[in-house]
Amino acid sequence: MQHSIATVSLSGTLPEKLEAIAAAGFDGVEIFENDLLYFDGSPRDAKRICDDLGLKIMLFQPFRDFEGGRRDKLQHNLDRAERKFDLMQELGTDRILVCSSVQPDVIRDDALIADDFAKLAERAAKRDILVGYEALAWGRYVNSYRHVWDIVKAVDHPNLGIILDSFHTLSINDDLSTLAEIPGDKIVFLQLADAPLMAMDVMEWSRHFRCFPGQGEFDLASFLGPILKNGYKGPLSLEIFNDGFRAAPTRITAADGLRSLLYLEETTRKALESSNKAEDARVAETLFAPPPPVRYDGVEFLEFAVDDAAARRLASWFDKLGFAHTGTHKSKNVSLYSQGGVNLILNAEPDSFAHAFFVAHGPSLCAAAFRVDDSRAALERAKLYKSRSFESRVGPNERQIPAVRAPDGSLQYLVDPGEDGRTIYDSDFDPVETKSPQAALLTGIDHFALGLPAETLDTWILFFRAVYGFTTEHEWVLPDPYGLVKSRVVRSPDGAIRVPLNISENRNTAIARSVSTYRGSGLQHVAFATGDIFAAVAAAREAGLPLLEIPRNYYDDLAARFDLDPDFIERLAEANILYDRDPNGGELLHVYTEPFEERFFFEIIERHHGYEQYGAANVAVRLAAQAQSRARQQSRHAPWSD
Amino acid sequence: MQHSIATVSLSGTLPEKLEAIAAAGFDGVEIFENDLLYFDGSPRDAKRICDDLGLKIMLFQPFRDFEGGRRDKLQHNLDRAERKFDLMQELGTDRILVCSSVQPDVIRDDALIADDFAKLAERAAKRDILVGYEALAWGRYVNSYRHVWDIVKAVDHPNLGIILDSFHTLSINDDLSTLAEIPGDKIVFLQLADAPLMAMDVMEWSRHFRCFPGQGEFDLASFLGPILKNGYKGPLSLEIFNDGFRAAPTRITAADGLRSLLYLEETTRKALESSNKAEDARVAETLFAPPPPVRYDGVEFLEFAVDDAAARRLASWFDKLGFAHTGTHKSKNVSLYSQGGVNLILNAEPDSFAHAFFVAHGPSLCAAAFRVDDSRAALERAKLYKSRSFESRVGPNERQIPAVRAPDGSLQYLVDPGEDGRTIYDSDFDPVETKSPQAALLTGIDHFALGLPAETLDTWILFFRAVYGFTTEHEWVLPDPYGLVKSRVVRSPDGAIRVPLNISENRNTAIARSVSTYRGSGLQHVAFATGDIFAAVAAAREAGLPLLEIPRNYYDDLAARFDLDPDFIERLAEANILYDRDPNGGELLHVYTEPFEERFFFEIIERHHGYEQYGAANVAVRLAAQAQSRARQQSRHAPWSD
């Protein structure tokens, strides 16, 4: 299918927008009139830029408040349309969007409105222009695509058709069955937008919260499927009004837009294929078909960018967490630490990807590796979704591990079992003699959480959904003492990999500090799974790991909230372990370390009886305890000042 | 009256909050349970901090989901209450807030709920505790103060009363007439919050958008009046959930809170006095009574902090705008520029307030002077509203002009006519021989606009409303090519002084750049009034003033939007003058300069037929033209890079 986007969806000046749209790989563009209005060149100049960039101008929009107006204004409105037709000819486009009137005095008479459009279509015919009529969800009289379709049928003119917009239809929960009646060649254009479900005024919702397909919660496949089955052959076009997009880097937003249309094609294809009808299958064949998502079996390793000094300091924390130094890389300054199937890597190799990451961000997570059943298919899918891949420098007999660049430039390795039964550690690392093995208390990486600049969250969510086929959990809003934090978890379908993504709009929250420290996104914490948290805490304390102290008041309140054995509460309090219980009786016990150099911290986590969440009820006490810990440390070094 | 605030209203840790509350001058505090929960000291420690700060703990809150629960939970809930009573005794407070249940299975039976409260009140009586029952607007069964009052009356126990909250009452537009029935001694506590009027879910509205009285749109005086008339003698207490406050500097928010209560007292006093009833007048006497706002007759002068070099550069712009250098200060390195009653001052005096401002912010507006009819009364009012005043160093025979510090530390002088008919310029400046006087084309300061850090807008609005008695116009949301800008105008009641306050949440908008350039708030533009904009533009061009070029497309669209003479449109286009018309036929013609050193710009403005707005319809084209102008300048100096 062809892909298009409305210029209003992006930030910047018109030339900046057009360059980004071309760079992302779109075929064409809807010119939003205001972008042209504020452009300091002529419409012909705009057309020339598009021509040079290989972009087709697919639509000019919007033309407002045309139909059903006061009769003495009709001639003026038709003249106004002619002016826009002039402009369209300079732009070299033959399609115009007319949106339904929002004027309070619009005449509520379908025959009269049809007559207005008949006049307009006559004029359009003389100029070889196609007029598309679109229902705004807040149109004063005409506000549904079904009403528009009735009028278009009544006019029955080859130069008048309908324009469909997913937002205006899905936001009012409109009946989709009439879509099946509209022949594809009467659909002048098709606009697509997703949105989070919100209980608010529909115009405000539309103007500020639309997002790209796959970033919101609308069922767009059910909307698009019937349209394609009726033979619509025009472009899929994005029209997104979003406050975040207006402020985000233009090229990144445009690239997200193209990825979102591919994702929508794949989702729609799967929906069509699942019907098992031959006609649906024929339509499905025309849609984007990357290899399906692979199976994910967990986090294979996490890799930290360090220098030698940071490597020593971080290795000491790993040691206190019970990890053994199990390998040194055959050809690089890279060390492996392991315990119970959990692998952590410290990469201090100069002149490497990790070194560049260290220079830019300091000690930080530079890569995560996902265990997959088919790394080739996973990489192929990622590439078709326009991800950048990465090949590292390898020594002789070392394995080349396929990798994908995440939105922040960090790497995500795709590791499959390997055909010969040898692990990547066998190929690349020499074993190290270390302290005598002890029973591993940490048995897996339950999740690892990232702190992101607020405006990048939508990019990350679409990346995980499209590139990996991950799902998203609902958003949590969490109180930091200095603002609000929002958390959204992306996870592989069975939960083997879980990545909470955290953002904050406020400047002084822990997440905002993290973004500032890393100069971008970065690791917030790693949660290790354990089967015996009391033993894990005892061992960590014995080893001198600094655990976060939890205020006594928390435990007194726990006694009021849950019907727990007082002795058990005392054991929790003594070990600084937090507790949560879900409505189904699932239980969570978890403990936090102090932060490692104000960057990230570790969590040890024990789940019982199918507890699936992350202890959100305890995040506030953790954030407050961290803030108080930081305040104490600062007051040791410097007097309070503000 | 006594003043109190709930700890939940502020950001930070509990000790930080308490210190800020005491510093602002509150008498007491409501302890929000979560603040205690996360505090790393005991309740006794919290009491000790309050005692040391001279703060009384007036209330402990909230106790949730008590009434009408499952019968087998009642004993547990009563035990839970006893635990909180223990805690209250450690805190040394005797009042607890019980909010209405939000549990889906709450039993909808007033007699049973009354019985639950009778049991609770019995237990409270043994501990000398007063229980206050408050309706949450989203309570599952009990959700209005009138329903609570019915139950409190039915229980009829000295240890049970009602807690009133303005948000929960006004947000649901509840009938206020029942307030008159509630005796003051049955009101255990009174919580006050304002809010902007919003069409959204009431719980979301409450949790994120409450604000201090005078910052929102509720009619709080109508709520507070009847309560005071019934003899309520307890504190006025603020309970504000607000995302901005959670992130704002604690001390500034606390100071705003106290100012807001004083403002509410004044507003309520005026409402009571206007009834002309003796009983109302008696209550009014107990309320805060500063001198009423004075009369404002316009902006007397604007003063810029500069050094000698910046003074020369800015003076050259003033010259091109038609200002004459009319005075040099008798004792300071300060110059006066004037035309048609408009006065601009350049202050390059070392070791002065202006110099400190220049060092901190660069060339910037450091003071504005307001013409008033009584500067003493104005200053007295400002001081009673906790504003800081300022006295400058004056030379012999120079006039000391009273001044108030604005929220950003800049000065606002209050200038009255002076008894002897001499102006401040006569006293303080030596006249300068300048170019021969020409007819002044600029005749006044129509408005001057500030760019503010987003989180400070509420502080500024309350400042102008309370300290000066200014009114506010409704909010404009304006599209910058790189994000959204919000604009709120504060003005003296008759419009003689108007100050648009502009903020942006996004990082790359013109306003965000301004905030970043100034490192805080700063002048965005000054709009000069003229009676002949074509002549003013011609003179400015002749003098070489750089005017902002407006794209031709804007004028083509103007022809489609308005029924204007084509020749007139050509004249506008030739002069880069923008045009707007309001629904009543009021007309605006205005023109912008290029920015002065990426800091501020000037506007020349001609209003006709009662046009009262600011040309918001043209802001988008102005912002786009400025962005394109900046892009052109950058591309002259450096290649595009991103």
Side-chain angles (χ1 to χ4, degrees):
Chain A
M1 312 254 348
Q2 286 200 303
H3 300 127
S4 160
I5 184 169
T7 51
V8 73
S9 314
L10 301 174
S11 75
T13 61
L14 185 61
E16 287 170 355
K17 294 179 186 202
L18 295 173
E19 283 162 24
I21 289 166
F26 283 92
D27 304 292
V29 69
E30 302 175 32
I31 297 282
F32 192 73
E33 179 167 26
N34 280 12
D35 279 307
L36 197 63
L37 207 59
Y38 309 148
F39 170 54
D40 58 352
S42 69
R44 279 184 212 283
D45 293 334
K47 175 178 172 14
R48 194 170 329 118
I49 294 174
C50 289
D51 288 346
D52 290 349
L53 293 166
L55 288 176
K56 184 172 188 306
I57 298 181
M58 303 204 164
L59 181 80
F60 175 78
Q61 67 129 320
F63 189 67
R64 298 186 194 275
D65 298 330
F66 165 74
E67 85 280 23
R70 271 171 37 199
R71 294 298 90 189
D72 60 345
K73 291 280 182 93
L74 181 59
Q75 188 58 43
H76 170 73
N77 275 334
L78 289 166
D79 291 348
R80 194 159 62 93
E82 292 280 3
R83 285 226 152 94
K84 300 306 171 191
F85 294 168
D86 295 343
L87 201 159
M88 289 167 64
Q89 286 192 316
E90 293 190 48
L91 286 173
T93 186
D94 65 349
R95 276 155 215 250
I96 184 169
L97 179 154
V98 178
C99 53
S100 58
S101 175
V102 299
Q103 291 303 312
D105 60 355
V106 66
I107 301 169
R108 295 162 180 267
D109 178 338
D110 282 12
L112 179 139
I113 289 173
D115 196 54
D116 286 356
F117 273 108
K119 290 193 173 72
L120 186 62
E122 254 329 287
R123 291 182 176 226
K126 291 187 188 138
R127 314 276 290 255
D128 277 333
I129 279 173
L130 282 178
V131 173
Y133 184 22
E134 178 187 79
L136 298 180
W138 52 91
R140 186 61 70 138
Y141 172 55
V142 175
N143 53 30
S144 78
Y145 82 95
R146 292 176 295 126
H147 198 169
V148 163
W149 178 232
D150 285 344
I151 292 166
V152 168
K153 274 189 296 188
V155 177
D156 190 23
H157 191 292
N159 290 74
L160 179 71
I162 187 171
I163 289 182
L164 295 167
D165 179 303
S166 62
F167 184 89
H168 290 299
T169 302
L170 299 173
S171 65
I172 59 171
N173 228 334
D174 205 1
D175 177 3
L176 299 185
S177 62
T178 306
L179 288 176
E181 288 177 19
I182 308 176
D185 61 5
K186 290 302 281 183
I187 301 173
V188 171
F189 214 68
L190 174 58
Q191 295 182 319
L192 296 159
D194 200 348
L197 298 179
M198 299 177 94
M200 68 186 299
D201 176 73
V202 68
M203 191 164 85
E204 287 297 305
W205 186 20
S206 170
R207 291 203 171 156
H208 302 295
F209 297 99
R210 289 184 179 211
C211 55
F212 289 138
Q215 291 176 336
E217 299 174 83
F218 282 164
D219 179 5
L220 288 169
S222 299
F223 175 78
L224 181 56
I227 294 168
L228 297 178
K229 283 162 66 176
N230 288 358
Y232 174 74
K233 300 277 189 267
L236 307 181
S237 192
L238 297 163
E239 191 202 28
I240 315 289
F241 306 87
N242 178 299
D243 297 347
F245 292 4
R246 279 182 224 268
T250 314
R251 281 187 169 237
I252 292 174
T253 310
D256 283 347
L258 192 79
R259 177 176 280 162
S260 80
L261 286 177
L262 296 175
Y263 182 65
L264 174 59
E265 285 194 39
E266 185 190 16
T267 317
T268 308
R269 187 176 54 71
K270 285 194 285 192
L272 288 167
E273 285 170 354
S274 70
S275 82
N276 290 320
K277 291 188 201 151
E279 52 178 294
D280 288 4
R282 270 194 303 278
V283 174
E285 274 173 20
T286 66
L287 298 174
F288 179 61
V294 298
R295 204 187 68 226
Y296 298 89
D297 291 325
V299 176
E300 176 60 43
F301 64 79
L302 295 177
E303 179 175 337
F304 294 83
V306 288
D307 61 4
D308 285 330
R312 278 191 298 275
R313 298 194 304 270
L314 198 44
S316 144
W317 278 59
F318 292 170
D319 178 61
K320 290 170 186 165
L321 279 159
F323 286 85
H325 181 193
T326 49
T328 55
H329 197 277
K330 285 175 175 162
S331 65
K332 298 176 189 168
N333 184 0
V334 172
S335 303
L336 172 68
Y337 297 80
S338 308
Q339 129 172 246
V342 185
N343 301 297
L344 303 176
I345 288 174
L346 294 179
N347 189 334
E349 173 72 3
D351 191 26
S352 68
F353 156 75
H355 184 68
F357 219 82
F358 176 79
V359 169
H361 305 290
S364 51
L365 185 76
C366 62
F370 299 159
R371 270 177 217 137
V372 298
D373 64 344
D374 184 345
S375 64
R376 276 226 313 247
L379 187 67
E380 174 67 11
R381 180 179 171 89
K383 284 179 177 172
L384 288 172
Y385 266 117
K386 313 276 182 185
S387 298
R388 286 179 299 154
S389 60
F390 175 82
E391 299 209 342
S392 60
R393 185 165 50 79
V394 291
N397 300 320
E398 292 171 15
R399 206 199 295 185
Q400 178 67 260
I401 313 175
V404 171
R405 292 258 188 190
D408 64 346
S410 69
L411 295 185
Q412 290 170 343
Y413 287 104
L414 303 162
V415 180
D416 47 16
E419 292 169 17
D420 53 2
R422 294 180 74 213
T423 69
I424 48 170
Y425 312 110
D426 296 336
S427 349
D428 291 16
F429 286 85
D430 291 320
V432 175
E433 298 296 325
T434 59
K435 58 185 173 185
S436 59
Q438 56 182 33
L441 287 165
L442 307 186
T443 56
I445 291 176
D446 186 274
H447 61 272
F448 65 99
L450 305 179
L452 309 178
E455 67 276 15
T456 69
L457 180 63
D458 281 339
T459 296
W460 281 86
I461 286 177
L462 181 63
F463 170 81
F464 274 109
R465 280 184 175 169
V467 172
Y468 295 131
F470 278 20
T471 59
T472 49
E473 301 179 7
H474 79 91
E475 176 184 276
W476 292 95
V477 178
L478 306 166
D480 180 288
Y482 302 98
L484 292 178
V485 168
K486 291 184 184 176
S487 183
R488 193 93 192 265
V489 178
V490 293
R491 52 184 278 170
S492 61
D494 68 357
I497 301 173
R498 311 192 214 206
V499 187
L501 304 173
N502 300 319
I503 62 164
S504 173
E505 311 275 357
N506 309 125
R507 290 190 301 184
N508 293 317
T509 60
I511 288 299
R513 282 165 182 271
S514 156
V515 167
S516 162
T517 300
Y518 288 116
R519 283 183 259 166
S521 58
L523 179 68
Q524 189 217 15
H525 74 271
V526 180
F528 299 110
T530 184
D532 186 348
I533 195 166
F534 288 100
V537 166
R541 276 191 167 170
E542 171 75 24
L545 187 72
L547 294 178
L548 186 68
E549 276 181 48
I550 303 302
R552 174 73 217 183
N553 303 323
Y554 169 81
Y555 296 98
D556 294 342
D557 182 63
L558 215 52
R561 279 162 62 212
F562 298 109
D563 184 23
L564 290 171
D565 180 348
D567 290 345
F568 179 68
I569 290 180
E570 285 313 308
R571 285 184 69 202
L572 294 175
E574 193 277 327
N576 284 303
I577 294 173
L578 299 161
Y579 177 88
D580 192 28
R581 192 193 291 166
D582 70 24
N584 307 317
E587 284 181 301
L588 174 74
L589 286 81
H590 57 147
V591 70
Y592 296 102
T593 69
E594 291 269 354
F596 174 78
E597 298 176 3
E598 299 270 334
R599 290 181 162 263
F600 46 77
F601 54 92
F602 299 100
E603 181 181 6
I604 301 174
I605 183 169
E606 185 175 339
R607 296 174 183 270
H608 285 290
H609 315 304
Y611 182 95
E612 276 291 307
Q613 306 301 329
Y614 304 84
N618 295 327
V619 167
V621 68
R622 190 253 296 162
L623 287 165
Q626 288 175 334
Q628 287 172 74
S629 160
R630 199 168 52 239
R632 274 195 306 271
Q633 282 171 24
Q634 286 173 349
S635 70
R636 276 203 294 272
H637 299 303
W640 272 106
S641 64
D642 201 311
Chain B
M1 312 250 356
Q2 287 200 302
H3 300 127
S4 160
I5 185 169
T7 51
V8 73
S9 314
L10 301 174
S11 76
T13 60
L14 185 60
E16 287 170 355
K17 294 179 186 202
L18 295 174
E19 282 162 25
I21 290 166
F26 284 92
D27 304 292
V29 67
E30 303 175 32
I31 296 283
F32 192 72
E33 180 168 25
N34 280 12
D35 280 307
L36 197 63
L37 208 57
Y38 308 149
F39 171 54
D40 59 352
S42 68
R44 278 185 213 283
D45 293 335
K47 173 175 171 19
R48 193 169 329 118
I49 294 174
C50 289
D51 287 347
D52 290 350
L53 293 167
L55 289 176
K56 183 170 187 305
I57 299 182
M58 301 204 165
L59 181 80
F60 175 79
Q61 68 128 318
F63 189 68
R64 297 187 195 274
D65 297 331
F66 165 74
E67 85 281 24
R70 271 172 37 201
R71 293 298 91 189
D72 60 345
K73 291 280 182 92
L74 180 60
Q75 188 58 45
H76 170 73
N77 275 334
L78 289 166
D79 290 349
R80 194 159 62 92
E82 292 279 2
R83 286 228 154 94
K84 301 303 170 191
F85 293 168
D86 296 343
L87 201 158
M88 289 167 63
Q89 286 191 317
E90 292 191 47
L91 287 174
T93 185
D94 65 348
R95 276 156 214 249
I96 184 169
L97 179 154
V98 178
C99 53
S100 59
S101 175
V102 299
Q103 291 302 312
D105 60 355
V106 65
I107 301 168
R108 294 161 180 270
D109 178 339
D110 283 12
L112 179 138
I113 289 173
D115 195 53
D116 286 356
F117 273 109
K119 288 193 173 73
L120 186 63
E122 254 328 287
R123 291 184 176 226
K126 290 185 190 140
R127 314 278 289 255
D128 277 332
I129 279 173
L130 280 179
V131 173
Y133 185 22
E134 177 187 78
L136 299 179
W138 53 89
R140 186 62 69 139
Y141 172 56
V142 174
N143 53 29
S144 78
Y145 84 96
R146 292 175 295 124
H147 197 168
V148 162
W149 178 232
D150 285 344
I151 291 166
V152 168
K153 274 190 294 188
V155 176
D156 190 23
H157 190 292
N159 290 73
L160 178 72
I162 187 170
I163 290 182
L164 295 167
D165 179 305
S166 62
F167 184 89
H168 290 298
T169 302
L170 298 173
S171 65
I172 59 171
N173 229 334
D174 205 1
D175 177 3
L176 299 185
S177 63
T178 305
L179 288 175
E181 289 178 17
I182 307 176
D185 61 4
K186 289 304 281 182
I187 302 173
V188 171
F189 213 68
L190 173 59
Q191 295 181 319
L192 295 159
D194 201 347
L197 298 179
M198 300 176 94
M200 68 186 299
D201 175 74
V202 68
M203 192 166 82
E204 288 296 306
W205 186 21
S206 169
R207 290 201 172 159
H208 303 294
F209 297 99
R210 288 183 180 211
C211 56
F212 289 138
Q215 291 177 335
E217 299 173 83
F218 284 162
D219 179 5
L220 289 169
S222 299
F223 175 78
L224 181 56
I227 294 169
L228 297 178
K229 281 161 68 177
N230 288 357
Y232 174 73
K233 300 275 189 266
L236 307 181
S237 191
L238 297 163
E239 190 203 28
I240 316 290
F241 306 87
N242 179 299
D243 297 347
F245 291 3
R246 279 182 224 270
T250 314
R251 280 187 171 238
I252 292 173
T253 312
D256 283 348
L258 192 79
R259 178 176 280 163
S260 80
L261 286 177
L262 295 176
Y263 182 64
L264 174 59
E265 285 194 40
E266 185 190 17
T267 318
T268 308
R269 186 176 54 73
K270 285 194 284 192
L272 288 167
E273 285 171 353
S274 70
S275 82
N276 290 320
K277 290 189 199 151
E279 53 179 294
D280 289 4
R282 269 194 303 278
V283 175
E285 275 174 19
T286 65
L287 298 173
F288 179 61
V294 298
R295 203 186 70 225
Y296 298 90
D297 291 325
V299 176
E300 176 60 43
F301 64 79
L302 295 177
E303 178 175 339
F304 295 81
V306 287
D307 61 4
D308 284 331
R312 277 191 298 274
R313 300 193 303 271
L314 197 45
S316 145
W317 279 58
F318 293 169
D319 178 60
K320 291 169 185 166
L321 279 159
F323 285 85
H325 181 191
T326 48
T328 54
H329 196 278
K330 287 177 176 163
S331 64
K332 299 178 189 167
N333 184 1
V334 171
S335 304
L336 173 68
Y337 298 80
S338 309
Q339 124 172 248
V342 186
N343 301 297
L344 303 177
I345 287 174
L346 294 178
N347 188 334
E349 173 72 3
D351 191 26
S352 69
F353 156 76
H355 184 69
F357 219 81
F358 177 79
V359 169
H361 305 290
S364 51
L365 186 76
C366 62
F370 299 159
R371 271 178 216 135
V372 297
D373 64 344
D374 184 345
S375 64
R376 274 227 315 246
L379 187 68
E380 174 67 11
R381 180 179 171 90
K383 284 180 177 172
L384 287 171
Y385 266 117
K386 313 275 183 187
S387 298
R388 286 178 298 153
S389 58
F390 174 82
E391 300 210 340
S392 60
R393 186 165 48 80
V394 293
N397 299 321
E398 293 169 16
R399 206 198 295 185
Q400 178 67 260
I401 313 174
V404 172
R405 292 259 188 189
D408 64 347
S410 68
L411 295 186
Q412 291 171 342
Y413 288 102
L414 303 162
V415 180
D416 47 14
E419 291 170 19
D420 53 2
R422 296 181 73 213
T423 69
I424 48 169
Y425 313 110
D426 296 335
S427 350
D428 291 15
F429 287 84
D430 290 323
V432 175
E433 297 296 325
T434 59
K435 59 185 173 186
S436 60
Q438 56 182 32
L441 287 164
L442 308 186
T443 56
I445 291 176
D446 185 276
H447 61 273
F448 64 99
L450 305 179
L452 309 177
E455 68 275 14
T456 68
L457 180 63
D458 281 339
T459 296
W460 281 85
I461 286 177
L462 180 62
F463 171 81
F464 274 109
R465 280 184 175 169
V467 172
Y468 295 131
F470 278 21
T471 59
T472 49
E473 301 179 6
H474 79 92
E475 176 184 276
W476 293 96
V477 177
L478 306 167
D480 180 289
Y482 302 98
L484 292 178
V485 168
K486 291 185 185 174
S487 183
R488 194 94 192 264
V489 178
V490 292
R491 54 185 277 171
S492 61
D494 67 358
I497 300 173
R498 311 192 214 206
V499 187
L501 304 173
N502 300 320
I503 62 164
S504 173
E505 311 274 356
N506 309 125
R507 289 189 301 183
N508 294 316
T509 59
I511 288 300
R513 282 165 182 272
S514 156
V515 167
S516 161
T517 300
Y518 288 116
R519 284 183 258 165
S521 56
L523 179 67
Q524 189 217 14
H525 74 270
V526 180
F528 299 111
T530 184
D532 186 347
I533 195 166
F534 288 101
V537 166
R541 276 190 166 169
E542 171 77 23
L545 187 73
L547 293 178
L548 187 69
E549 276 181 47
I550 303 301
R552 175 73 217 182
N553 303 323
Y554 168 81
Y555 296 98
D556 294 343
D557 182 63
L558 215 51
R561 278 163 62 213
F562 298 109
D563 185 23
L564 290 171
D565 180 348
D567 291 344
F568 179 67
I569 290 180
E570 285 313 308
R571 285 184 69 204
L572 293 175
E574 194 276 326
N576 286 303
I577 294 173
L578 299 160
Y579 177 87
D580 192 31
R581 193 193 290 164
D582 70 24
N584 307 317
E587 284 180 302
L588 174 74
L589 285 80
H590 57 148
V591 69
Y592 296 103
T593 69
E594 291 269 355
F596 174 79
E597 298 176 1
E598 300 269 334
R599 290 181 164 264
F600 46 78
F601 52 91
F602 299 99
E603 182 180 5
I604 301 173
I605 184 168
E606 183 176 339
R607 297 174 184 269
H608 284 290
H609 315 305
Y611 183 94
E612 276 292 307
Q613 306 301 328
Y614 304 85
N618 295 326
V619 168
V621 69
R622 190 254 295 163
L623 287 165
Q626 287 175 335
Q628 287 171 71
S629 160
R630 198 167 52 239
R632 274 195 306 273
Q633 281 171 22
Q634 285 173 349
S635 70
R636 276 204 293 273
H637 299 303
W640 271 105
S641 65
D642 201 317

